Amino acid sequence: MNMKEIILCYQGEMVLKGLNKASFESTLAKILRYRVKSCGNFKVYRAQSTMYIEPLDEFADVDEAYRRVSKVFGLAALSRAVVCDKNFETICETAEAYLGDALRGVKTFKVEAKRSDKTFPMKSPELCAELGGYLLSKHPHLRVKVKDPQMTVMVEIRDYGAYIHGPKTPGAGGLPVGTSGRALNMLSGGIDSPVAAYRMARRGLALHHIHFASPPYTSERAKMKVHSLAQIVSGYTGNCVLYVVPYTAPQEYIRDHAPDVLFTVLMRRSMMRIASRIAHEIECDAIITGESLAQVASQTLKALQCTDCAQDLPILRPLIGMDKSEITETARAIGTFETSILPYEDCCTIFTPPHPKTKPSVEEILEAEAAMPGLAELEEKAAAEVERIAVRQNEPVELL
Ligand code: ATP
Ligand code: MG
């Protein structure tokens, strides 16, 4: 049987947004259109609060489109549906051909029908009862259960045809990327910062990444690893730019001019100043990091206070209250973990003293910075020499 499948997307939290609903929906439609563009010829449209993604010829890759759409924030659930002629017998046969296998795997089910084309001769309750009866005759082990069935067979009679839905799968949740503004994510090669990017994009932030590299202490491979991470999360975050800052000179300067025990906090403040400068240039309104309270010496409250006051943008730390095991679980789920654990050096871990101070005070930090008059100029130069790498979500990820 020739069955034409389409994808149905159900909105999540954004339906609550009242006034903004229209702009949220048009952003979401734009994102969906862009996401499936390179999977073939699709039409994306909206009816009530559901988005429809319909292939326009047999070359369109519905499987790949479904995989991509399941990463689009703003969707609570997805399902596939088949479209057939609006004829009761055809509807029965199509439902059985399309959902028969799924029905064999459950014990309880119900049929729900919606009829927006009022010229269709059967009313919804009648269609439910008759189709339910037909499916029961094919699967005598089944029982109809109106409340909480294991599976719901949905039939919608629309102008263009009859739509028969399969089971729903969870969508990516959250809000469409871009509806909450834009931020700059500090991306290291580690496990945490790609997860931080994912979590903030899920709250509707569009983002770019910034990475600090210190060649020759950090290698070209380490930079490629960060690029791959940005590309993996781009399935969620959308197209973006990875800004790579040549950080060797400021870092060596701090090493040579500051007390060892303050090195890490001073370096983190310096990185924040550069990130902030670039964020302002590219109109990002916040900085995101993968910091988690007390994970390392630079993530104590005192150390965070010192990094916070290095510049004026809000610093978003979505992982602040998460355990490493929870962060790792998310990293696995979004596909960044395997790349994150590749053993390449990060500039944050070179020159680190064996016993960094865990409770630095802002006064001693400012004093140490006053003794580094040459740092500002080196930071300015590093920011000016930043390299821009385009990260495009519809391109296949090249894993290292
Ligand atoms: P991650 O797993 O993300 O590397 P971490 O636990 O190793 O984090 P740190 O190395 O202290 O912790 O870094 C804390 C945060 O600072 C990172 O999550 C990231 O946001 C940022 N960061 C660290 N190193 C870099 C870098 N080289 N370039 C850009 N940002 C960085
Ligand atoms: Mg790190």
Side-chain angles (χ1 to χ4, degrees):
M1 182 183 255
N2 183 20
M3 290 189 287
K4 178 181 170 179
E5 260 193 316
I6 68 165
I7 300 172
L8 300 175
C9 310
Y10 311 94
Q11 293 170 25
E13 195 178 335
M14 56 194 271
V15 295
L16 302 173
K17 292 269 167 177
L19 275 181
N20 286 331
K21 193 166 181 251
S23 91
F24 272 67
E25 285 182 341
S26 78
T27 302
L28 183 59
K30 234 186 263 167
I31 292 172
L32 290 172
R33 257 176 222 124
Y34 183 79
R35 272 314 256 152
V36 301
K37 199 165 90 177
S38 56
C39 300
N41 217 349
F42 285 90
K43 186 174 155 197
V44 177
Y45 55 96
R46 175 169 49 97
Q48 283 89 40
S49 285
T50 306
M51 312 287 284
Y52 290 73
I53 302 179
E54 185 178 332
L56 296 178
D57 56 42
E58 72 270 32
F59 305 110
D61 185 346
V62 178
D63 289 333
E64 177 60 16
Y66 197 83
R67 268 192 291 278
R68 291 190 185 180
V69 168
S70 66
K71 295 183 176 178
V72 170
F73 293 129
L75 297 177
L78 315 176
S79 72
R80 292 179 176 217
V82 279
V83 190
C84 69
D85 285 345
K86 289 184 279 185
N87 160 307
F88 180 67
E89 258 164 49
T90 312
I91 292 173
C92 288
E93 283 162 17
T94 308
E96 171 58 18
Y98 187 52
L99 299 175
D101 276 344
L103 287 169
R104 271 183 277 281
V106 298
K107 292 203 176 79
T108 58
F109 86 116
K110 74 170 168 187
V111 177
E112 263 179 31
K114 265 193 209 156
R115 187 183 60 142
S116 51
D117 169 13
K118 301 294 179 200
T119 66
F120 186 73
M122 293 165 89
K123 288 189 174 158
S124 300
E126 186 189 354
L127 180 56
C128 281
E130 296 292 324
L131 177 58
Y134 174 87
L135 292 172
L136 275 173
S137 75
K138 295 281 173 188
H139 306 272
H141 76 284
L142 280 179
R143 195 161 53 81
V144 175
K145 196 174 169 219
V146 178
K147 197 165 172 263
D148 280 336
Q150 285 172 293
M151 175 148 167
T152 302
V153 174
M154 289 266 315
V155 190
E156 281 185 68
I157 311 293
R158 293 179 165 270
D159 289 344
Y160 171 71
Y163 292 68
I164 299 165
H165 301 217
K168 285 185 186 177
T169 56
L175 301 167
V177 163
T179 56
S180 300
R182 184 160 56 197
L184 184 59
N185 179 52
M186 295 185 59
L187 188 65
S188 68
I191 295 170
D192 305 338
S193 43
V195 174
Y198 162 82
R199 295 213 76 102
M200 292 322 301
R202 191 162 188 265
R203 289 310 301 164
L205 273 185
L207 52 86
H208 295 299
H209 301 283
I210 185 168
H211 175 69
F212 292 80
S214 291
Y217 307 104
T218 64
S219 64
E220 195 60 24
R221 297 287 281 182
K223 188 167 103 185
M224 283 163 64
K225 170 183 168 179
V226 172
H227 186 182
S228 316
L229 286 171
Q231 192 151 12
I232 297 170
V233 282
S234 73
Y236 296 96
T237 63
N239 287 348
C240 59
V241 177
L242 168 63
Y243 293 85
V244 181
V245 178
Y247 191 58
T248 317
Q251 197 171 11
E252 287 178 332
Y253 184 89
I254 299 170
R255 176 197 61 187
D256 297 340
H257 293 81
D260 252 13
V261 290
L262 297 181
F263 171 78
T264 308
V265 172
L266 290 167
M267 174 186 69
R268 296 198 60 79
R269 280 172 56 90
S270 156
M271 288 164 71
M272 285 295 171
R273 282 190 292 265
I274 295 173
S276 179
R277 183 186 285 261
I278 290 170
H280 281 290
E281 272 170 31
I282 61 176
E283 294 176 356
C284 287
D285 294 329
I287 293 172
I288 303 167
T289 78
E291 287 162 310
S292 159
L293 190 64
Q295 203 187 74
V296 291
S298 64
Q299 298 174 21
T300 62
L301 278 186
K302 285 291 174 200
L304 294 177
Q305 182 187 10
C306 292
T307 21
D308 272 347
C309 62
Q311 54 80 48
D312 61 354
L313 291 176
I315 300 178
L316 307 178
R317 301 183 170 99
L319 314 186
I320 197 74
M322 286 172 79
D323 291 350
K324 195 72 184 186
S325 61
E326 294 169 305
I327 299 170
T328 301
E329 202 178 297
T330 309
R332 285 187 196 278
I334 64 174
T336 52
F337 182 77
E338 295 301 327
T339 304
S340 285
I341 59 173
L342 293 172
Y344 298 111
E345 58 296 315
D346 180 56
C347 82
C348 253
T349 49
I350 56 175
F351 311 154
T352 29
H355 302 291
K357 197 159 191 174
T358 53
K359 289 184 181 169
S361 72
V362 176
E363 297 75 53
E364 65 184 325
I365 288 297
L366 293 178
E367 204 176 300
E369 279 178 359
M372 297 193 289
L375 185 56
E377 194 185 326
L378 294 175
E379 287 175 358
E380 195 175 323
K381 189 155 175 279
E385 286 172 1
V386 68
E387 179 190 359
R388 290 170 182 78
I389 301 175
V391 180
R392 312 202 58 89
Q393 66 179 159
N394 284 345
E395 281 168 14
V397 174
E398 280 168 44
L399 283 176
L400 285 169

